[in-house]
Amino acid sequence: HAVEELLELLDLVLADRAGRLLVLLTTLCVSDRLFAAEPSVEANVVFGTYSGLALLMDVYKPTTSNGLGIVVVNGSGWYRDLGYDAPVLKQSQEFRPAREKLLGAGYTVFVITHRASPRFHLPDITQDVQRATRFIRANAARYGIRADRIGALGGSSGGHLVSMLGTLDGKGDPGALDPVDRESAKVQCVVAFYPATDLAKIDTASGSVAVSLATGMRTPASFAGASASAVKQFQDVSPVTHVTPDDPPFLLVHGDADKTVPFQQSEIMEAALRKAGVGVKLIRVPGAEHGTGSAGWDKIDWPSLPLEWFETHLRQNASSGRSR
């Protein structure tokens, strides 16, 4: 009888352990599902090196991908402090609200860092954002996106750079040893907030300083009698110079009280795109100053604007898009 009681007690203990094990396994499964349901970030992805200097991006992955990717270039005046403790451009929170909306809609978001002045100048900086786009396109399968449907979002100097991604030819080199360099750097949709588009015509105090540092030259607008070669150098790094009919649709968003990059910079770009027959929309934000954190931007739901544009011109038109 004692043996029977002992066996019965052992059965209860085993049953209790099994129950606990079942509860533990169920909890782990639920936790795993909950964790997987959250957007994730792959930080410090090296998309290229320049003389051993790593170029980094953070890749934000949505819960459920819609197969489309967005390159984000934050504003910086094309400038970073020199030193090991200088703030990293990709960590800027400028477009965090817009990024979260994009992630919620299934977009994979690539926030990049590029070389900057005063050590480097605009041709170098432009090459970096092109390299990032080529890298993303070359690794499209890895990130679960379409190589032929990549958009770009940026503000200020970042608005200038994403506009360059939309207007430059960006053709890859089919004979390059590095397969990334064989890819196109052209994007299929652009959203540019308060972008610098014609650098020779920026004559505000802070804007001229930023342009001078980025180009390594004084801006022609700041002095009379600029040489033709100097003007050409500015034209070569200005998006408005490179507009062609095959450019992607552009959304321009700009405050009309901007004292750094004048509102006219977006008007100039809009006129050039319309003349070329490119789809473009300019949203004028009354009384808004430079930067979404400045006065006037609380008057509109600016974080929703990139998502709305990409949904209409990148996602809905995905079946007809081709990389160039």
Side-chain angles (χ1 to χ4, degrees):
H1 181 70
V3 173
E4 290 178 356
E5 288 183 346
L6 183 60
L7 291 174
E8 186 176 332
L9 179 61
L10 182 59
D11 287 340
L12 289 173
V13 172
L14 290 174
D16 182 60
R17 287 181 177 175
R20 290 181 182 178
L21 180 60
L22 180 60
V23 170
L24 177 60
L25 290 174
T26 302
T27 302
L28 288 174
C29 288
V30 171
S31 298
D32 183 63
R33 289 179 182 177
L34 289 174
F35 180 77
E38 293 295 324
S40 61
V41 57
E42 184 180 352
N44 296 324
V45 175
V46 179
F47 65 84
T49 58
Y50 182 82
S51 297
L53 174 67
L55 300 172
L56 305 176
M57 67 167 64
D58 289 345
V59 183
Y60 292 84
K61 303 172 184 178
T63 303
T64 303
S65 174
N66 65 11
L68 302 174
I70 306 297
V71 182
V72 175
V73 188
N74 291 306
S76 63
W78 306 281
Y79 176 87
R80 291 284 90 179
D81 290 332
L82 297 176
Y84 292 112
D85 58 348
V88 181
L89 179 60
K90 66 184 177 63
Q91 295 175 338
S92 168
Q93 299 301 303
E94 179 182 15
F95 287 111
R96 180 177 178 178
R99 184 187 75 211
E100 291 177 348
K101 286 184 177 293
L102 290 168
L103 282 170
Y107 290 85
T108 302
V109 181
F110 305 84
V111 185
I112 73 169
T113 297
H114 55 68
R115 287 175 289 168
S117 68
R119 181 66 56 83
F120 300 101
H121 296 129
L122 265 175
D124 311 308
I125 299 168
T126 303
Q127 288 172 11
D128 286 352
V129 295
Q130 287 188 305
R131 169 70 188 196
T133 306
R134 298 184 204 277
F135 177 89
I136 293 165
R137 181 160 279 128
N139 289 276
R142 168 185 171 186
Y143 294 115
I145 64 171
R146 287 182 53 169
D148 62 346
R149 302 303 292 172
I150 296 174
L153 164 65
S156 192
S157 61
H160 161 268
L161 292 168
V162 298
S163 296
M164 292 292 274
L165 288 177
T167 56
L168 289 175
D169 179 79
K171 188 180 297 183
D173 178 3
L177 295 177
D178 185 346
V180 171
D181 290 332
R182 301 171 198 162
E183 299 289 343
S184 169
K186 187 93 169 182
V187 295
Q188 284 68 59
C189 199
V190 174
V191 177
F193 281 68
Y194 31 86
T197 65
D198 189 344
L199 275 61
K201 295 181 180 178
I202 295 180
D203 57 1
T204 64
S206 55
S208 294
V209 169
V211 171
S212 295
L213 286 172
T215 59
M217 302 181 294
R218 292 179 62 190
T219 58
S222 66
F223 61 94
S227 68
S229 61
V231 173
K232 184 179 185 305
Q233 285 180 285
F234 280 93
Q235 290 175 336
D236 287 345
V237 294
S238 295
V240 70
T241 305
H242 303 284
V243 171
T244 52
D246 66 341
D247 289 341
F250 269 72
L251 174 64
L252 306 168
V253 189
H254 212 133
D256 61 11
D258 195 325
K259 297 181 179 63
T260 300
V261 179
F263 177 73
Q264 289 71 26
Q265 287 285 303
S266 282
E267 290 184 309
I268 292 170
M269 190 66 176
E270 179 196 26
L273 290 165
R274 288 196 184 283
K275 183 177 181 181
V278 177
V280 59
K281 180 178 181 180
L282 170 56
I283 295 178
R284 180 177 191 149
V285 187
E289 298 178 5
H290 192 72
T292 55
S294 302
W297 285 94
D298 56 348
K299 298 176 183 177
I300 64 168
D301 181 19
W302 70 264
S304 295
L305 297 178
L307 174 59
E308 293 169 0
W309 190 257
F310 291 134
E311 287 285 277
T312 301
H313 297 279
L314 190 65
R315 186 172 187 173
Q316 294 183 16
N317 297 336
S319 60
S320 61
R322 294 181 181 179
S323 62
R324 291 168 293 179

